[in-house]
Amino acid sequence: MQRSRSRLAGMFLASLLALAGALVAPTAGVCEQALKAKVGVLRLSSSAPVFIAQDKGYFRDAGLDIELKFFDAAQPIAVATTSGDVDFGITAFTAGLYNLAGKGTLKVIGGMSREKAGYPLIGYFASNNAYAAGLMSPRDLAGKRVAVTQTGSSFHYSLGLLADKYGFKLSDVKIVPLQSLSNAAAALKGETVDAALLPVSTARKLMDDGGAKLLGWVGDETPWQLGAVFASTRTLAEKPLVTRLLAALARADREYHDVILAAVSDGKAPLNEKTRPLLEIIAKYTNLPVEQVIGNCAYIDPDGKLDVGNVANQIAWLQQQGFVDKGVTADAIIAKEYVKPD
């Protein structure tokens, strides 16, 4: 009898263990399916869909475990993507990005922010002394010392477009590369440069504190495709990872456009019950008060499209300046199986 009871007890314990295994197995399977990746971004509204997808769980819903890694300039993100420090980069086009892509180390897989009229993003700002001396509009930048993050950066390209528009030589502008947004803002405030190109999120406090004067917006003067999503060739080999990331971003792109951008008027988004949740997410990741974010809503195509023609124009201009290798072409650096052309 004792032996029989022991055998029954053993069978009961085995059944419990089997049941526990059955219950735990699916959970473990789900965890194993979550693909990990690091994404390099700037703390700017130009990355708004990234922040929305992270905060609202869209990456998680797509089976991803995403870690955001923040930088203070665009070019280092391209370098980090190539080296493997991050798997994806989401930031502005730069000469360095194009050169790395031209060597086959990374490819563009989607569009992100654009300079577009009516959506303040990058501005031309004058120091107080320069403004008082007559620097009162973007066309007056010829002959001035202008701070940018790096030569060949999106800010440098914006200056080139401005020079072409108003018929002055870019060589007439004294470009001062200061490596980071914070350095450029400090130089403007400290009057060591006459002007700077800065994102509105970086310049807002300067303006509010009376430390700089706004001359105009790049999007109003010379609209262009500013940002993109890109990945290293190593990451591109993991197709499920790429498709899941793009699917999550597409979901966030559409929501950001339909809720916030569609409501923008006179360069500002209204702060109401519908827009507040998303604006607060952007404020959280950009370290800005939500009251500042409303005037800092970068335009992003609702379908994540990329202006491929403009990318080709950027490359051609940067090649003329000697910043990008001659052999680089838009076709060669774009992963056509993922990019939606505009």
Side-chain angles (χ1 to χ4, degrees), residues 308-330:
V308 176
N310 180 254
V311 171
N313 290 342
Q314 291 180 45
I315 292 172
W317 185 88
L318 290 165
Q319 287 170 333
Q320 290 172 4
Q321 308 304 313
F323 294 136
V324 170
D325 298 336
K326 291 295 184 183
V328 179
T329 65

Side-chain angles (χ1 to χ4, degrees), residues 217-259:
W217 301 108
V218 171
D220 292 337
E221 294 284 352
T222 56
W224 62 285
Q225 177 75 53
L226 177 66
V229 185
F230 49 93
S232 67
T233 49
R234 179 183 58 258
T235 300
L236 286 169
E238 301 180 44
K239 290 189 176 180
L241 178 60
V242 177
T243 55
R244 291 182 190 186
L245 179 110
L246 290 177
L249 285 177
R251 184 179 175 187
D253 286 343
R254 173 57 64 178
E255 183 175 8
Y256 173 69
H257 179 276
D258 291 354
V259 174

